[in-house]
Coordinates of all heavy atoms in Angstrom, one line a residue:
F1 N -31.0 -13.7 25.9 CA -29.7 -14.3 25.8 C -29.5 -14.9 24.4 O -28.5 -14.7 23.8 CB -29.5 -15.2 27.0 CG -28.2 -16.0 26.8 CD1 -27.0 -15.4 27.2 CD2 -28.2 -17.3 26.4 CE1 -25.8 -16.1 27.0 CE2 -27.0 -18.0 26.2 CZ -25.8 -17.4 26.6
I2 N -30.5 -15.7 23.9 CA -30.3 -16.4 22.7 C -30.2 -15.4 21.6 O -29.3 -15.6 20.7 CB -31.5 -17.3 22.4 CG1 -31.5 -18.4 23.5 CG2 -31.5 -18.0 21.1 CD1 -32.8 -19.3 23.4
R3 N -30.9 -14.3 21.5 CA -30.8 -13.4 20.5 C -29.5 -12.7 20.5 O -28.9 -12.4 19.4 CB -31.9 -12.3 20.6 CG -33.3 -12.9 20.3 CD -34.4 -11.8 20.7 NE -35.6 -12.4 20.6 CZ -36.6 -12.4 19.8 NH1 -36.3 -11.5 18.7 NH2 -37.7 -12.9 19.8
S4 N -28.9 -12.5 21.7 CA -27.6 -11.8 21.8 C -26.5 -12.7 21.2 O -25.6 -12.3 20.4 CB -27.3 -11.5 23.3 OG -28.1 -10.6 23.8
V5 N -26.6 -14.0 21.5 CA -25.7 -15.0 21.0 C -25.7 -15.1 19.5 O -24.7 -15.0 18.8 CB -25.8 -16.4 21.7 CG1 -25.0 -17.4 21.0 CG2 -25.5 -16.3 23.1
L6 N -27.0 -15.2 18.9 CA -27.2 -15.5 17.6 C -26.8 -14.2 16.8 O -26.4 -14.3 15.6 CB -28.6 -15.9 17.2 CG -29.0 -17.3 17.8 CD1 -30.4 -17.6 17.5 CD2 -28.1 -18.4 17.2
G7 N -27.1 -13.0 17.4 CA -26.8 -11.8 16.7 C -25.3 -11.3 16.8 O -24.9 -10.3 16.2
S8 N -24.5 -12.1 17.4 CA -23.0 -11.7 17.6 C -22.3 -11.8 16.3 O -22.8 -12.5 15.3 CB -22.4 -12.5 18.6 OG -21.6 -13.5 18.1
V9 N -21.2 -11.1 16.1 CA -20.5 -11.2 14.9 C -19.5 -12.5 14.9 O -18.9 -12.6 13.8 CB -19.6 -10.0 14.7 CG1 -20.4 -8.7 14.6 CG2 -18.6 -9.8 15.9
A10 N -19.6 -13.3 15.9 CA -18.7 -14.4 16.0 C -19.1 -15.4 14.8 O -20.3 -15.5 14.5 CB -18.9 -15.1 17.3
D11 N -18.1 -16.2 14.3 CA -18.3 -17.3 13.3 C -19.2 -18.3 13.9 O -20.1 -18.9 13.2 CB -17.0 -17.8 12.8 CG -16.2 -16.9 12.0 OD1 -16.9 -15.9 11.4 OD2 -15.1 -17.1 11.8
T12 N -19.1 -18.7 15.2 CA -19.8 -19.8 15.7 C -20.6 -19.2 17.0 O -20.2 -18.4 17.7 CB -18.8 -20.8 16.3 OG1 -18.0 -21.4 15.2 CG2 -19.6 -22.0 16.9
A13 N -21.9 -19.7 17.0 CA -22.7 -19.3 18.2 C -23.2 -20.6 18.9 O -23.7 -21.4 18.2 CB -23.9 -18.5 17.6
I14 N -22.9 -20.6 20.1 CA -23.3 -21.8 20.9 C -24.3 -21.4 21.9 O -24.2 -20.5 22.7 CB -22.1 -22.4 21.7 CG1 -21.0 -22.9 20.6 CG2 -22.5 -23.6 22.5 CD1 -19.7 -23.3 21.2
V15 N -25.5 -21.9 21.8 CA -26.6 -21.7 22.7 C -26.9 -22.8 23.6 O -27.1 -23.9 23.1 CB -27.9 -21.3 21.9 CG1 -29.1 -20.9 22.8 CG2 -27.6 -20.1 20.9
P16 N -26.8 -22.7 24.8 CA -27.1 -23.8 25.8 C -28.5 -24.2 25.6 O -29.5 -23.5 25.4 CB -27.0 -23.2 27.2 CG -26.1 -22.0 27.0 CD -26.4 -21.4 25.6
L17 N -28.7 -25.6 25.5 CA -30.0 -26.2 25.2 C -31.0 -25.8 26.3 O -32.2 -25.7 26.0 CB -29.8 -27.7 25.1 CG -31.1 -28.5 24.7 CD1 -31.6 -28.0 23.3 CD2 -30.8 -30.0 24.6
Q18 N -30.5 -25.7 27.5 CA -31.4 -25.3 28.6 C -32.1 -23.9 28.2 O -33.2 -23.7 28.5 CB -30.7 -25.1 29.9 CG -30.1 -26.4 30.4 CD -28.6 -26.6 30.0 OE1 -28.3 -26.3 28.8 NE2 -27.8 -27.1 30.8
D19 N -31.4 -23.0 27.6 CA -32.0 -21.7 27.2 C -32.9 -21.9 26.1 O -34.0 -21.3 26.0 CB -30.9 -20.8 26.8 CG -30.1 -20.3 28.0 OD1 -30.7 -20.4 29.1 OD2 -28.9 -20.0 27.8
V20 N -32.7 -22.8 25.1 CA -33.6 -23.1 24.0 C -34.9 -23.6 24.5 O -36.0 -23.3 24.1 CB -32.9 -24.1 23.0 CG1 -33.9 -24.4 21.9 CG2 -31.8 -23.4 22.3
L21 N -34.8 -24.6 25.5 CA -35.9 -25.2 26.1 C -36.6 -24.3 27.1 O -37.8 -24.7 27.5 CB -35.5 -26.5 26.7 CG -35.0 -27.6 25.8 CD1 -34.5 -28.8 26.5 CD2 -36.0 -27.9 24.7
G22 N -36.0 -23.3 27.6 CA -36.5 -22.5 28.7 C -36.7 -23.2 30.0 O -37.8 -22.9 30.7
V23 N -35.8 -24.1 30.4 CA -36.0 -24.9 31.6 C -35.7 -24.1 32.9 O -36.1 -24.5 34.0 CB -35.2 -26.2 31.6 CG1 -35.7 -27.1 30.4 CG2 -33.7 -25.9 31.5
G24 N -35.1 -23.0 32.8 CA -34.8 -22.1 34.1 C -33.7 -22.7 34.9 O -32.8 -23.5 34.4
S25 N -33.8 -22.3 36.2 CA -32.6 -22.7 37.0 C -32.5 -24.2 37.3 O -31.4 -24.7 37.6 CB -32.7 -22.0 38.3 OG -34.0 -22.3 39.0
E26 N -33.6 -25.0 37.1 CA -33.5 -26.4 37.3 C -32.6 -27.1 36.3 O -32.2 -28.2 36.5 CB -34.9 -27.1 37.4 CG -35.7 -27.0 36.2 CD -36.5 -25.8 36.0 OE1 -36.4 -24.8 36.7 OE2 -37.4 -25.8 35.0
G27 N -32.3 -26.4 35.2 CA -31.5 -26.9 34.2 C -30.0 -26.5 34.3 O -29.2 -26.8 33.5
R28 N -29.7 -25.9 35.4 CA -28.3 -25.4 35.5 C -27.4 -26.6 35.7 O -27.7 -27.6 36.4 CB -28.3 -24.5 36.8 CG -26.9 -23.9 37.0 CD -26.9 -22.9 38.1 NE -25.6 -22.4 38.1 CZ -25.3 -21.3 38.8 NH1 -26.2 -20.6 39.4 NH2 -24.1 -20.9 38.9
M29 N -26.3 -26.6 35.0 CA -25.3 -27.6 35.0 C -24.3 -27.7 36.1 O -23.9 -28.7 36.6 CB -24.5 -27.7 33.7 CG -25.4 -28.0 32.4 SD -26.1 -29.7 32.4 CE -24.7 -30.6 32.2
N30 N -23.9 -26.5 36.5 CA -22.8 -26.5 37.3 C -23.0 -25.4 38.4 O -23.5 -24.3 38.1 CB -21.5 -26.0 36.5 CG -20.2 -26.2 37.4 OD1 -20.2 -26.8 38.4 ND2 -19.2 -25.6 36.9
F31 N -22.6 -25.7 39.6 CA -22.7 -24.8 40.7 C -21.3 -24.5 41.3 O -20.8 -25.3 42.1 CB -23.7 -25.3 41.9 CG -25.1 -25.5 41.3 CD1 -25.4 -26.7 40.8 CD2 -26.0 -24.5 41.4 CE1 -26.7 -26.9 40.3 CE2 -27.3 -24.7 41.0 CZ -27.7 -25.9 40.4
P32 N -20.6 -23.4 40.9 CA -19.2 -23.2 41.4 C -19.2 -23.2 42.8 O -20.0 -22.7 43.6 CB -18.9 -21.8 40.8 CG -19.8 -21.6 39.6 CD -21.1 -22.4 39.9
G33 N -18.1 -23.9 43.3 CA -17.9 -24.0 44.7 C -18.7 -25.1 45.5 O -18.5 -25.2 46.7
R34 N -19.4 -25.8 44.8 CA -20.3 -26.9 45.3 C -19.6 -28.2 45.0 O -19.2 -28.4 43.9 CB -21.7 -26.8 44.7 CG -22.7 -27.4 45.6 CD -24.0 -27.6 44.8 NE -25.0 -26.7 45.3 CZ -26.3 -26.8 44.9 NH1 -26.7 -27.6 44.0 NH2 -27.1 -25.9 45.4
D35 N -19.5 -29.1 46.0 CA -18.8 -30.4 45.8 C -19.8 -31.4 45.2 O -19.3 -32.3 44.6 CB -18.5 -31.0 47.3 CG -17.4 -30.2 48.0 OD1 -17.2 -29.0 47.5 OD2 -16.9 -30.7 49.0
S36 N -21.0 -31.3 45.3 CA -21.9 -32.3 44.7 C -23.2 -31.5 44.0 O -23.3 -30.3 44.3 CB -22.4 -33.2 45.8 OG -23.2 -32.5 46.8
G37 N -23.9 -32.3 43.3 CA -25.1 -31.8 42.7 C -24.8 -31.1 41.3 O -25.7 -30.6 40.7
N38 N -23.5 -31.1 40.9 CA -23.2 -30.6 39.6 C -23.5 -31.6 38.6 O -23.4 -32.9 38.8 CB -21.8 -30.2 39.6 CG -21.5 -29.0 40.5 OD1 -22.2 -28.0 40.4 ND2 -20.5 -29.1 41.3
W39 N -23.7 -31.1 37.3 CA -23.8 -32.0 36.1 C -24.9 -33.1 36.2 O -24.8 -34.1 35.8 CB -22.5 -32.7 35.8 CG -21.4 -31.6 35.7 CD1 -20.4 -31.5 36.7 CD2 -21.1 -30.6 34.8 NE1 -19.7 -30.5 36.3 CE2 -20.1 -29.9 35.2 CE3 -21.8 -30.3 33.6 CZ2 -19.5 -28.8 34.4 CZ3 -21.3 -29.2 32.9 CH2 -20.2 -28.5 33.2
Q40 N -26.0 -32.7 36.8 CA -27.2 -33.6 37.0 C -28.2 -33.5 35.9 O -28.9 -34.5 35.7 CB -27.9 -33.3 38.4 CG -26.9 -33.5 39.6 CD -26.5 -34.9 39.7 OE1 -27.3 -35.8 39.7 NE2 -25.2 -35.1 39.9
W41 N -28.4 -32.3 35.3 CA -29.4 -32.2 34.4 C -29.2 -32.9 33.1 O -28.1 -33.0 32.6 CB -29.5 -30.6 34.0 CG -30.7 -30.4 33.0 CD1 -32.0 -30.3 33.3 CD2 -30.7 -30.2 31.6 NE1 -32.8 -30.0 32.3 CE2 -31.9 -30.0 31.1 CE3 -29.6 -30.3 30.7 CZ2 -32.2 -29.7 29.8 CZ3 -29.9 -30.0 29.4 CH2 -31.2 -29.8 28.9
R42 N -30.2 -33.6 32.6 CA -30.1 -34.4 31.4 C -31.2 -34.1 30.4 O -32.4 -33.8 30.8 CB -30.2 -35.9 31.7 CG -29.1 -36.4 32.6 CD -27.8 -36.4 31.8 NE -26.7 -37.0 32.6 CZ -25.7 -36.3 33.2 NH1 -25.8 -35.0 33.3 NH2 -24.7 -36.9 33.9
F43 N -30.9 -34.1 29.1 CA -31.9 -33.8 28.1 C -32.4 -35.1 27.6 O -31.7 -36.2 27.4 CB -31.1 -33.1 26.9 CG -31.9 -33.1 25.7 CD1 -33.0 -32.3 25.4 CD2 -31.5 -34.0 24.6 CE1 -33.7 -32.3 24.2 CE2 -32.1 -34.0 23.5 CZ -33.2 -33.2 23.2
T44 N -33.7 -35.1 27.3 CA -34.3 -36.2 26.5 C -35.1 -35.6 25.3 O -35.5 -34.5 25.4 CB -35.3 -37.1 27.3 OG1 -36.4 -36.3 27.7 CG2 -34.7 -37.6 28.5
W45 N -35.3 -36.3 24.2 CA -36.0 -35.8 23.1 C -37.4 -35.4 23.4 O -38.0 -34.5 22.8 CB -36.0 -36.8 21.9 CG -34.6 -36.8 21.3 CD1 -33.7 -37.8 21.4 CD2 -34.0 -35.9 20.5 NE1 -32.5 -37.4 20.7 CE2 -32.7 -36.3 20.1 CE3 -34.4 -34.5 20.0 CZ2 -31.9 -35.5 19.4 CZ3 -33.6 -33.8 19.2 CH2 -32.3 -34.3 18.9
D46 N -38.0 -36.0 24.5 CA -39.3 -35.6 24.9 C -39.4 -34.3 25.6 O -40.5 -33.7 25.6 CB -39.8 -36.7 25.9 CG -40.1 -38.0 25.4 OD1 -40.3 -38.2 24.1 OD2 -40.0 -39.0 26.1
D47 N -38.2 -33.7 26.0 CA -38.1 -32.4 26.5 C -38.5 -31.3 25.4 O -38.9 -30.2 25.8 CB -36.8 -32.1 27.0 CG -36.5 -32.9 28.3 OD1 -37.4 -33.4 29.0 OD2 -35.3 -33.1 28.6
L48 N -38.3 -31.6 24.2 CA -38.6 -30.6 23.1 C -40.1 -30.5 23.0 O -40.8 -31.4 22.6 CB -38.0 -31.1 21.8 CG -36.5 -31.0 21.6 CD1 -36.1 -31.6 20.4 CD2 -36.1 -29.5 21.8
G49 N -40.6 -29.3 23.3 CA -42.0 -29.0 23.1 C -42.3 -28.8 21.6 O -41.3 -28.6 20.9
A50 N -43.5 -28.8 21.2 CA -43.9 -28.7 19.8 C -43.4 -27.3 19.2 O -43.1 -27.2 18.1 CB -45.3 -28.7 19.6
D51 N -43.1 -26.3 20.1 CA -42.8 -25.0 19.6 C -41.3 -24.7 19.7 O -40.8 -23.8 19.1 CB -43.5 -23.9 20.4 CG -43.0 -23.8 21.9 OD1 -42.8 -24.9 22.5 OD2 -42.9 -22.7 22.5
A52 N -40.4 -25.5 20.4 CA -39.1 -25.2 20.6 C -38.3 -25.2 19.3 O -37.5 -24.2 19.1 CB -38.4 -26.3 21.5
L53 N -38.3 -26.2 18.5 CA -37.6 -26.2 17.3 C -38.1 -25.1 16.2 O -37.3 -24.4 15.7 CB -37.6 -27.5 16.6 CG -36.7 -28.5 17.4 CD1 -36.9 -30.0 16.7 CD2 -35.3 -28.1 17.3
P54 N -39.4 -25.0 16.0 CA -39.8 -23.9 15.1 C -39.3 -22.6 15.6 O -38.9 -21.7 14.7 CB -41.3 -24.1 15.0 CG -41.6 -25.5 15.4 CD -40.5 -25.8 16.4
R55 N -39.4 -22.3 16.9 CA -39.1 -21.0 17.4 C -37.5 -20.7 17.2 O -37.2 -19.7 16.8 CB -39.4 -20.9 18.9 CG -39.1 -19.6 19.6 CD -39.7 -19.6 21.0 NE -39.5 -20.8 21.7 CZ -38.4 -21.1 22.5 NH1 -37.5 -20.3 22.6 NH2 -38.4 -22.3 23.2
F56 N -36.8 -21.8 17.5 CA -35.3 -21.7 17.4 C -35.0 -21.5 15.8 O -34.0 -20.8 15.4 CB -34.5 -22.8 18.0 CG -33.1 -22.5 18.1 CD1 -32.5 -21.7 19.1 CD2 -32.2 -23.2 17.3 CE1 -31.2 -21.4 19.2 CE2 -30.8 -22.9 17.4 CZ -30.4 -22.0 18.4
R57 N -35.6 -22.3 15.0 CA -35.4 -22.2 13.6 C -35.7 -20.8 13.1 O -34.9 -20.2 12.3 CB -36.3 -23.2 12.8 CG -36.1 -23.2 11.3 CD -37.0 -24.1 10.6 NE -37.1 -25.4 11.2 CZ -38.3 -26.0 11.7 NH1 -39.4 -25.3 11.5 NH2 -38.3 -27.1 12.3
R58 N -36.7 -20.1 13.6 CA -37.0 -18.8 13.2 C -35.9 -17.8 13.5 O -35.5 -16.9 12.8 CB -38.4 -18.3 13.7 CG -39.6 -18.7 13.0 CD -40.9 -18.0 13.4 NE -41.1 -18.3 14.9 CZ -41.7 -19.3 15.4 NH1 -42.2 -20.3 14.7 NH2 -41.9 -19.3 16.8
L59 N -35.5 -18.0 14.8 CA -34.3 -17.1 15.3 C -33.1 -17.3 14.5 O -32.4 -16.4 14.1 CB -34.0 -17.4 16.8 CG -35.1 -16.8 17.7 CD1 -34.9 -17.3 19.1 CD2 -35.0 -15.3 17.7
A60 N -32.7 -18.6 14.2 CA -31.5 -19.0 13.5 C -31.6 -18.3 12.1 O -30.6 -17.9 11.5 CB -31.3 -20.4 13.4
T61 N -32.7 -18.4 11.4 CA -33.0 -17.9 10.1 C -32.8 -16.3 10.2 O -32.1 -15.7 9.4 CB -34.3 -18.2 9.5 OG1 -34.3 -19.7 9.5 CG2 -34.5 -17.6 8.2
R62 N -33.5 -15.7 11.2 CA -33.5 -14.2 11.3 C -32.0 -13.7 11.4 O -31.7 -12.6 10.9 CB -34.2 -13.8 12.6 CG -34.2 -12.3 12.8 CD -35.1 -11.9 14.0 NE -36.4 -12.1 13.6 CZ -37.3 -12.4 14.6 NH1 -37.0 -12.4 15.8 NH2 -38.6 -12.6 14.2
Y63 N -31.2 -14.4 12.1 CA -29.8 -13.9 12.4 C -28.8 -14.5 11.4 O -27.6 -14.5 11.7 CB -29.5 -14.2 13.8 CG -30.2 -13.3 14.8 CD1 -31.3 -13.8 15.5 CD2 -29.8 -12.0 15.0 CE1 -32.0 -13.0 16.3 CE2 -30.5 -11.2 15.8 CZ -31.6 -11.7 16.5 OH -32.3 -10.8 17.3
G64 N -29.3 -15.2 10.4 CA -28.4 -15.7 9.3 C -27.6 -16.9 9.8 O -26.5 -17.2 9.3
R65 N -28.1 -17.7 10.7 CA -27.4 -18.9 11.2 C -28.1 -20.1 11.0 O -27.9 -21.1 11.6 CB -27.2 -18.6 12.8 CG -26.2 -17.5 13.0 CD -25.9 -17.5 14.4 NE -25.0 -16.4 14.8 CZ -23.6 -16.4 14.7 NH1 -23.0 -17.5 14.3 NH2 -22.9 -15.4 14.9
A66 N -29.2 -20.1 10.0 CA -29.8 -21.3 9.7 C -28.8 -22.3 9.1 O -27.9 -21.9 8.5 CB -30.9 -21.1 8.7
P67 N -29.0 -23.6 9.3 CA -28.0 -24.6 8.8 C -28.0 -24.6 7.3 O -29.0 -24.5 6.7 CB -28.5 -25.9 9.4 CG -29.9 -25.7 9.8 CD -30.0 -24.2 10.1
R68 N -26.8 -24.9 6.9 CA -26.6 -25.1 5.3 C -26.1 -26.5 5.2 O -25.3 -27.1 6.1 CB -25.6 -24.1 4.9 CG -26.1 -22.6 4.9 CD -25.1 -21.6 4.4 NE -23.9 -21.5 5.3 CZ -23.8 -20.7 6.4 NH1 -24.9 -20.1 6.7 NH2 -22.8 -20.6 7.1
R69 N -26.4 -27.1 4.1 CA -25.9 -28.5 3.8 C -24.5 -28.4 3.4 O -24.1 -27.5 2.7 CB -26.7 -29.1 2.7 CG -28.1 -29.4 3.1 CD -28.7 -30.3 2.1 NE -30.1 -30.7 2.5 CZ -30.4 -31.7 3.4 NH1 -29.4 -32.4 3.9 NH2 -31.6 -31.9 3.7
A70 N -23.6 -29.3 3.9 CA -22.2 -29.3 3.5 C -22.0 -30.5 2.6 O -22.6 -31.6 2.7 CB -21.4 -29.6 4.8
T71 N -21.2 -30.3 1.5 CA -20.9 -31.3 0.6 C -19.5 -31.8 0.9 O -18.5 -31.1 0.9 CB -21.0 -30.9 -0.9 OG1 -22.3 -30.3 -1.1 CG2 -20.7 -31.9 -1.9
V72 N -19.3 -33.1 1.0 CA -18.0 -33.7 1.3 C -17.6 -34.4 0.1 O -18.3 -35.3 -0.4 CB -18.1 -34.7 2.6 CG1 -16.8 -35.3 2.8 CG2 -18.5 -33.9 3.7
P73 N -16.3 -34.2 -0.5 CA -15.9 -35.0 -1.7 C -15.8 -36.4 -1.4 O -15.4 -36.8 -0.3 CB -14.5 -34.3 -2.0 CG -14.5 -33.1 -1.2 CD -15.4 -33.2 0.0
T74 N -16.1 -37.2 -2.4 CA -16.0 -38.6 -2.3 C -15.0 -39.1 -3.3 O -14.7 -38.4 -4.3 CB -17.4 -39.4 -2.6 OG1 -17.9 -39.0 -3.9 CG2 -18.4 -39.0 -1.5
S75 N -14.5 -40.4 -3.2 CA -13.6 -40.9 -4.1 C -14.3 -41.8 -5.0 O -15.1 -42.7 -4.5 CB -12.5 -41.6 -3.3 OG -11.6 -40.7 -2.6
G76 N -14.0 -41.8 -6.3 CA -14.7 -42.7 -7.2 C -13.7 -43.8 -7.4 O -12.7 -44.1 -6.7
A77 N -13.9 -44.6 -8.5 CA -13.0 -45.7 -8.9 C -11.6 -45.2 -9.2 O -11.5 -44.1 -9.8 CB -13.5 -46.4 -10.2
G78 N -10.6 -45.9 -8.6 CA -9.3 -45.5 -8.8 C -8.9 -44.2 -8.1 O -7.8 -43.6 -8.5
G79 N -9.7 -43.9 -7.2 CA -9.2 -42.7 -6.3 C -9.7 -41.4 -6.9 O -9.4 -40.4 -6.3
A80 N -10.4 -41.3 -8.1 CA -10.8 -40.2 -8.6 C -12.0 -39.5 -7.7 O -12.8 -40.3 -7.2 CB -11.4 -40.4 -10.1
R81 N -12.0 -38.2 -7.7 CA -13.0 -37.6 -6.8 C -14.3 -37.6 -7.5 O -14.4 -37.3 -8.7 CB -12.6 -36.2 -6.4 CG -11.4 -36.2 -5.5 CD -11.4 -35.0 -4.8 NE -10.6 -35.3 -3.5 CZ -10.6 -34.4 -2.6 NH1 -11.2 -33.2 -2.7 NH2 -10.0 -34.8 -1.4
G82 N -15.4 -37.9 -6.7 CA -16.8 -37.9 -7.2 C -17.4 -36.6 -7.0 O -16.7 -35.6 -6.6
S83 N -18.7 -36.5 -7.1 CA -19.4 -35.2 -7.0 C -19.6 -34.8 -5.6 O -19.9 -33.6 -5.3 CB -20.6 -35.3 -7.8 OG -21.5 -36.3 -7.2
G84 N -19.5 -35.8 -4.6 CA -19.7 -35.4 -3.2 C -20.9 -36.0 -2.7 O -21.8 -36.4 -3.3
V85 N -21.0 -36.0 -1.3 CA -22.1 -36.5 -0.5 C -22.5 -35.4 0.3 O -21.8 -34.8 1.0 CB -21.6 -37.8 0.2 CG1 -22.8 -38.3 1.2 CG2 -21.2 -38.9 -0.7
E86 N -23.8 -35.2 0.4 CA -24.4 -34.1 1.3 C -24.5 -34.7 2.7 O -25.0 -35.8 2.9 CB -25.7 -33.6 0.7 CG -25.7 -32.6 -0.3 CD -27.0 -32.0 -0.5 OE1 -27.9 -32.3 0.2 OE2 -27.0 -31.0 -1.3
L87 N -23.9 -34.0 3.6 CA -24.0 -34.3 5.0 C -24.6 -33.2 5.8 O -24.3 -32.1 5.6 CB -22.7 -34.6 5.6 CG -21.9 -35.7 5.0 CD1 -20.5 -35.8 5.7 CD2 -22.6 -37.0 5.2
T88 N -25.6 -33.5 6.7 CA -26.1 -32.6 7.6 C -26.4 -33.4 8.9 O -27.1 -34.3 8.9 CB -27.5 -32.1 7.1 OG1 -27.3 -31.5 5.8 CG2 -28.0 -30.9 7.9
P89 N -25.8 -32.8 10.0 CA -26.0 -33.5 11.3 C -27.4 -33.4 11.7 O -28.2 -32.6 11.2 CB -25.1 -32.7 12.2 CG -24.1 -31.9 11.3 CD -24.8 -31.7 10.0
A90 N -27.8 -34.3 12.6 CA -29.2 -34.5 13.0 C -29.9 -33.2 13.5 O -30.9 -32.8 13.2 CB -29.3 -35.6 14.0
V91 N -29.2 -32.6 14.4 CA -29.8 -31.4 15.0 C -30.0 -30.2 14.0 O -31.1 -29.7 13.9 CB -29.1 -30.9 16.3 CG1 -29.6 -29.5 16.7 CG2 -29.2 -31.9 17.4
P92 N -29.1 -29.9 13.2 CA -29.3 -28.9 12.1 C -30.4 -29.4 11.2 O -31.1 -28.5 10.7 CB -27.9 -28.8 11.5 CG -27.0 -29.0 12.5 CD -27.6 -30.2 13.3
E93 N -30.5 -30.6 10.9 CA -31.5 -31.1 10.0 C -32.9 -30.8 10.7 O -33.8 -30.4 10.0 CB -31.4 -32.6 9.7 CG -32.4 -33.1 8.8 CD -32.2 -32.6 7.3 OE1 -31.2 -32.1 7.0 OE2 -33.2 -32.7 6.7
L94 N -33.0 -31.1 12.0 CA -34.2 -30.8 12.7 C -34.6 -29.3 12.6 O -35.7 -29.0 12.3 CB -34.1 -31.2 14.1 CG -34.2 -32.8 14.4 CD1 -33.9 -33.0 15.9 CD2 -35.7 -33.3 14.1
L95 N -33.5 -28.5 12.8 CA -33.7 -27.0 12.7 C -34.2 -26.5 11.4 O -34.9 -25.6 11.2 CB -32.5 -26.3 13.2 CG -32.1 -26.5 14.7 CD1 -30.9 -25.8 14.9 CD2 -33.2 -26.0 15.6
A96 N -33.7 -27.3 10.3 CA -34.1 -27.0 9.0 C -35.5 -27.5 8.6 O -35.9 -27.1 7.6 CB -33.0 -27.6 8.0
G97 N -36.1 -28.2 9.5 CA -37.4 -28.7 9.4 C -37.5 -30.0 8.8 O -38.5 -30.5 8.3
G98 N -36.4 -30.8 8.8 CA -36.4 -32.1 8.2 C -36.4 -33.2 9.2 O -36.7 -32.9 10.4
D99 N -36.2 -34.4 8.8 CA -36.2 -35.6 9.6 C -34.8 -36.1 9.7 O -34.1 -36.3 8.8 CB -37.1 -36.6 9.0 CG -37.2 -37.9 9.8 OD1 -36.6 -37.9 10.9 OD2 -37.9 -38.8 9.4
P100 N -34.2 -36.2 11.1 CA -32.9 -36.6 11.2 C -32.6 -38.0 10.8 O -31.4 -38.4 10.7 CB -32.6 -36.3 12.6 CG -33.8 -36.4 13.3 CD -34.9 -35.9 12.2
A101 N -33.7 -38.8 10.8 CA -33.4 -40.3 10.6 C -33.1 -40.7 9.1 O -33.2 -40.1 8.2 CB -34.7 -41.0 11.0

């Protein structure tokens, strides 16, 4: 499933974290037609095994979806635009092999 999503021609690929972690049916979020028991699964950083991020990073790179740094223009003195500030959200930074902190 993950390879199909990442290999699609869509601009954006969304992969459920449950699939990245390989948690199986116990990670299911919603049970259609069921009154209760939905939206119970929760993620913690401890759920990430040592191989999850490197494996997903390899797939993201293989399919050309590895994160790129974005530069956001900044304002200098008097409103003049500066050279910019690099921003990378925490999860893409982790996927790129860095430290999100």
Side-chain angles (χ1 to χ4, degrees):
F1 173 77
I2 294 173
R3 291 173 194 255
S4 297
V5 171
L6 296 177
S8 104
V9 297
D11 288 338
T12 302
I14 299 173
V15 178
L17 187 55
Q18 295 93 321
D19 291 331
V20 173
L21 298 176
V23 296
S25 62
E26 66 271 11
R28 187 165 179 168
M29 292 294 291
N30 188 17
F31 297 88
R34 202 190 252 188
D35 295 10
S36 61
N38 291 313
W39 310 105
Q40 299 296 311
W41 184 79
R42 297 291 184 261
F43 162 77
T44 67
W45 287 105
D46 293 334
D47 293 336
L48 288 176
D51 68 323
L53 288 175
R55 184 171 40 88
F56 193 73
R57 184 182 312 121
R58 281 191 302 274
L59 286 170
T61 301
R62 176 178 295 151
Y63 290 100
R65 295 190 180 270
R68 295 179 291 277
R69 292 193 179 273
T71 301
V72 177
T74 58
S75 295
R81 291 202 151 190
S83 62
V85 174
E86 279 192 357
L87 297 178
T88 304
V91 171
E93 183 68 22
L94 284 169
L95 292 175
D99 182 358

